[in-house]
Amino acid sequence: MTHDTLACRSCGDTNLAPVLFLGKTPLADRLLTESMLNEPEPLFPLTLHFCAQCGLVQIAECVAPEQLFCEDYPYYSSFSAALLKHSRDNVEELIEQHHLNEKSLAVELASNDGYLLKNFVERGIPVLGIDPAEGPAQAARDAGVETLCTFFTEAFATELVAQGRQADVIIGNNVLAHVPDLNGFVAGIRILLKEDGVAVIEVPYLKDLIDHCEFDTIYHEHLCYFSVTALRSLFARHDLSLNDVRRLPIHGGSLRLYVGHKAKVSPAVEVLLDEERAAGVNELRFYEDFAHRVERIGESLLELLMGLKAEGKRIAAYGAAAKGATLINYVGIGTGLIDFVVDRNTHKQGRFMPGQHIPILPCEALVSERPDYCLLLAWNFADEIMNQQAEYLDGGGRFIVPVPTPRIIHPSVAKVD
Ligand code: DWN
């Protein structure tokens, strides 16, 4: 079920300007089983809007979270070594900087399979994971991470505090964009966070999305797309201070936010706010050519793939990623072009990509089937994946990166920009 939101999810303003329409698309993480292939597949409009009042970019559609993050939600964070290292480094820095110990409590919102909290557990620091997807939540418990399978809300935060559980550190990576009640979620953080605690939140960075045309990261799970300007206004509304911010390369460019009850604002916040003002991120004109650039990428990628196919080449894809579903459905890349998708996530293998019904196989298929080309749907992990697939490359295979410019990557290129 979906309903259009005609008011800004953060400030409530109704003056939302349309920026991009990606058509009617299937749910990006709703990977199909064989038996589902012949059933009607729900499609939902996907339209990006800009709020001139607070700067928040957001989609109008709101698919019920219970439909998005249901029991067989297939995303497990632990299938990326790069993400595991990124998370471990974050935890070690937090333990040191905030002197966390056996008397502390670290809470992660959208804790998935325990990929991050396990690092606290190994150091003897009490944790609590909160995640609505039963599969990853059970995997976390199996890994020794206490996890409650529920959505985090203001009411739930109040319940936890009533039980005497307040957090010294709250971590929320790639979750803020997913919550329909954005203000309730942030109010919950304020309630759950101790007076001297810190909330450390990672979100994909809107400026990177627009600058590098990462349109495939737009899907129904991602309701909001954040600038520092919009984030500062969101937290301030709930008496929380955006005290520090770091730009990170992960997921095509992200922000790591440090939020607290007390204002101790670092210069880094003002630097990014100035950059956003200079670039016009808070003005509609910044987004005006985005739709045209997206259209050009789609045309150019389709032309490249069809040309290779016309030469008799075989093409596969790597990464049954949610972003991959947006890409193949917006561009129209189906089984006529892509023979199969490979993915390390065993929960995804044996299923089919939403909309295009391309089969998902184990990564070994790249070597056994030896497709001439492989479209990198999980381009945000290009370096990790290309290093891992040296045998495929040594055998003459070549990867195609789709954004910001569709291009064939030659292995001599050390890092994909
Ligand atoms: O916000 C979200 C982002 C952060 O992660 C979630 N809504 C869902 C997910 O989006 P995604 O599916 O586009 O993310 P990933 O993590 O870029 O997807 C990568 C896919 O590639 C996963 O299915 C795992 C797979 N993979 C693999 O097969 N081999 C990943 C790596 C690194 C590998 O070596």
Side-chain angles (χ1 to χ4, degrees):
M1 186 278 285
T2 178
H3 61 272
D4 285 3
T5 302
L6 300 177
C8 175
R9 299 177 190 280
S10 176
C11 73
D13 192 87
T14 54
N15 174 27
L16 299 184
V19 166
L20 176 69
F21 177 58
L22 286 172
K24 294 185 78 171
T25 73
L27 298 180
D29 267 322
R30 186 174 180 271
L31 304 183
L32 308 176
T33 59
E34 188 126 29
S35 60
M36 292 163 74
L37 292 178
N38 301 317
E39 294 168 6
E41 197 168 355
L43 302 177
F44 303 94
L46 192 52
T47 54
L48 200 68
H49 294 255
F50 168 74
C51 173
Q53 183 63 33
C54 74
L56 185 67
V57 173
Q58 54 209 286
I59 61 173
E61 296 74 22
C62 186
V63 177
E66 294 73 20
Q67 211 173 342
L68 291 172
F69 307 105
C70 47
E71 188 175 344
D72 64 349
Y73 178 66
Y75 179 77
Y76 288 71
S77 301
S78 294
F79 283 98
S80 162
L83 184 62
L84 290 174
K85 181 182 183 313
H86 171 85
S87 308
R88 186 168 54 250
D89 294 349
N90 184 12
V91 167
E92 285 169 2
E93 185 182 282
L94 286 170
I95 291 171
E96 178 139 342
Q97 284 187 348
H98 297 274
H99 315 297
L100 301 176
N101 55 46
E102 68 286 350
K103 295 187 177 59
S104 309
L105 177 64
V107 177
E108 186 177 9
L109 312 179
S111 48
N112 198 263
D113 58 6
Y115 75 104
L116 179 142
L117 286 178
K118 69 181 183 183
N119 295 290
F120 285 109
V121 172
E122 285 163 11
R123 302 279 291 267
I125 295 168
V127 302
L128 177 64
I130 299 171
D131 197 291
E134 183 50 46
Q138 189 52 51
R141 294 184 199 110
D142 295 346
V145 176
E146 183 189 356
T147 301
L148 301 175
C149 186
T150 185
F151 287 95
F152 179 72
T153 62
E154 186 175 358
F156 189 68
T158 305
E159 250 181 70
L160 287 173
V161 173
Q163 296 164 12
R165 304 180 93 168
Q166 258 200 316
D168 297 273
V169 59
I170 295 176
I171 291 165
N173 292 343
N174 298 297
V175 57
L176 201 60
H178 298 63
V179 293
D181 179 7
L182 189 57
N183 282 295
F185 191 87
V186 174
I189 291 175
R190 178 177 48 77
I191 292 165
L192 186 61
L193 189 66
K194 281 183 182 173
E195 192 54 28
D196 292 325
V198 60
V200 186
I201 296 164
E202 286 181 18
V203 296
Y205 187 22
L206 171 66
K207 191 168 182 295
D208 286 317
L209 190 164
I210 301 297
D211 286 349
H212 307 306
C213 225
E214 298 166 355
F215 71 93
D216 50 348
T217 61
I218 299 167
Y219 39 86
H220 294 97
E221 284 174 41
H222 289 173
L223 296 166
C224 298
Y225 303 81
F226 294 108
S227 64
V228 178
T229 306
L231 285 161
R232 186 175 64 161
S233 153
L234 170 66
F235 289 115
R237 188 176 303 117
H238 299 278
D239 298 325
L240 290 169
S241 175
L242 175 55
N243 284 331
D244 199 1
V245 57
R246 270 185 224 171
R247 290 186 73 168
L248 304 168
I250 194 121
H251 292 309
S254 297
L255 296 174
R256 179 182 290 161
L257 316 168
Y258 296 84
V259 175
H261 291 285
K262 299 171 183 166
K264 290 176 283 189
V265 183
S266 95
V269 175
E270 211 46 55
V271 166
L272 284 177
L273 289 172
D274 287 344
E275 282 180 14
E276 289 182 357
R277 275 188 287 269
V281 172
N282 312 321
E283 299 161 48
L284 185 55
R285 64 180 170 84
F286 183 70
Y287 306 93
E288 273 166 353
D289 72 338
F290 183 52
H292 173 69
R293 287 192 287 140
V294 169
E295 205 176 321
R296 280 292 308 121
I297 289 175
E299 291 164 356
S300 166
L301 177 58
L302 198 55
E303 194 179 331
L304 172 61
L305 296 176
M306 290 177 75
L308 293 172
K309 205 67 191 166
E311 293 169 20
K313 303 300 184 186
R314 292 180 59 222
I315 311 170
Y318 192 119
K323 64 173 75 69
T326 293
L327 186 82
I328 63 175
N329 283 294
Y330 169 74
V331 178
I333 300 169
T335 50
L337 287 171
I338 303 289
D339 295 345
F340 55 86
V341 177
V342 296
D343 197 293
R344 276 173 77 182
N345 180 336
T346 49
H347 304 274
K348 297 186 176 183
Q349 294 167 6
R351 292 192 174 219
F352 297 79
M353 292 298 284
Q356 300 298 334
H357 302 184
I358 304 169
I360 303 166
L361 305 180
C363 298
E364 290 70 22
L366 277 190
V367 173
S368 60
E369 299 297 322
R370 287 223 173 277
D372 301 291
Y373 292 91
C374 185
L375 177 61
L376 200 45
L377 298 175
W379 47 263
N380 49 316
F381 291 122
D383 298 333
E384 177 178 354
I385 290 167
M386 288 175 70
N387 290 333
Q388 172 205 109
Q389 294 301 325
E391 187 180 356
Y392 169 64
L393 290 166
D394 292 347
R398 290 292 176 267
F399 281 102
I400 297 169
V401 172
V403 295
T405 312
R407 62 202 187 282
I408 297 168
I409 295 293
H410 293 282
S412 53
V413 172
K415 285 180 79 65
V416 173
D417 58 356

